[in-house]
Amino acid sequence: MLHVGLTGGLASGKSTVAALLAGHGGVVVDADRLAREVVEPGTPGLRAVVAAFGEDVLLPDGSLDRPALGRRVFGDDAARAVLNGIVHPLVREASAARVAELPDDAVVVHDVPLIVENGMAPQFHLVVVVAAPAGLRLRRAVARGLDEDAAAARIAAQADDDARHAVADVWLPNEGDEDALRDAVATVWRARLRPFADNLRSGTPAASTPLPAPAAGHGTPQQQVERLVARLRHVAGDDLAQLRYDPPAGRSTPFVLHGVGRLGERAAHDAGFVPTGPGRFASADPGRPAELALEPGGD
């Protein structure tokens, strides 16, 4: 099963891309939708929110007054941390339950607005960022009915493009050409996402063949290897040490990483790697071929 993190700033077109990926066969798990569901009337989540913030965050019908709650937590880091501590675990639980129902060959698209801001990128096999200039996103948000000052404040509070570039395995510009966006998503699905999922399921290393844009690996070699290392450390923790890499000699040459420790088959899968021999692994991601060689470490 392949887990794709899909993110983007306010009015970037993330929902459009999610729908396009669903049309190709991806299974979209919408974090915002789950966040609404876990605080519906009668849920433990809503009771916990009311206990933390009081009855003032309820509407007369007993449902959550989202604007009122938003005013309580916007600009208040402590209050937002309390809210996140209630909602985020419930969303993770609901997401895990949804994923558990899916077949092994599924491409799961996790639609999560704050992947960058919350440091979640290593949790996914790869991250797709939908991007558009801030001015264009502001105009789109206002056209949808959002107050201009409120939209500008939300955009300013989100990660900037430099932070998004650093975690993006796929960068999808969306400046208004619907046909171009549709074609780009189709290319990413056909050339990278579906083959990545198939490689993981069959235990097949990715071929070292250049991919068309925008499916090809995004960012500098240093950024790409940092993402690989972050994913490996996320799944293996202290079982891996002294990870280093040899820079690729060319676009079609795999990254070669060396380390000390061990990597279980499940952890390797979760990092996007398949075993190729004792202590040897290869990436299943056709957009970023890589090899990993591990030497046994001491206890």
Side-chain angles (χ1 to χ4, degrees), residues 222-235:
Q222 182 65 35
Q223 287 174 324
Q224 293 190 55
V225 80
E226 285 174 357
R227 293 178 212 133
L228 283 174
V229 170
R231 289 185 173 101
L232 288 164
R233 292 205 182 282
H234 175 75
V235 301

Side-chain angles (χ1 to χ4, degrees), residues 234-288:
H234 175 75
V235 301
D238 294 338
D239 286 344
L240 289 181
Q242 302 176 30
L243 279 173
R244 62 180 178 82
Y245 86 105
D246 297 328
R251 288 185 61 191
S252 61
T253 302
F255 291 99
V256 179
L257 295 92
H258 301 271
V260 175
R262 62 181 182 270
L263 186 66
E265 188 170 337
R266 180 73 250 177
H269 175 281
D270 290 346
F273 283 76
V274 297
T276 58
R280 300 295 185 266
F281 303 85
S283 172
D285 180 0
R288 187 179 44 222

Side-chain angles (χ1 to χ4, degrees), residues 3-125:
H3 293 274
V4 178
L6 175 65
T7 194
L10 177 68
S12 61
K14 179 173 57 63
S15 297
T16 299
V17 172
L20 290 170
L21 289 171
H24 288 289
V27 180
V28 177
V29 178
D30 187 332
D32 276 349
R33 179 177 297 177
L34 292 178
R36 292 190 293 271
E37 291 177 357
V38 300
V39 290
E40 287 179 346
T43 61
L46 183 58
R47 290 194 290 271
V49 169
V50 172
F53 295 97
E55 299 281 344
D56 291 344
V57 298
L58 290 179
L59 293 168
D61 65 0
S63 63
L64 184 63
D65 186 340
R66 296 182 183 281
L69 180 60
R71 289 191 293 271
R72 292 282 298 275
V73 302
F74 187 78
D76 186 333
D77 291 343
R80 188 163 57 252
V82 170
L83 179 62
N84 290 344
I86 295 169
V87 175
H88 287 181
L90 295 172
V91 170
R92 286 195 295 270
E93 182 180 338
S95 177
R98 174 77 176 96
V99 170
E101 300 172 349
L102 301 176
D104 290 342
D105 63 347
V107 175
V108 187
V109 180
H110 298 266
D111 183 344
V112 184
L114 301 180
I115 285 177
V116 182
E117 292 82 351
N118 290 335
M120 299 170 63
Q123 299 177 24
F124 306 102
H125 286 111

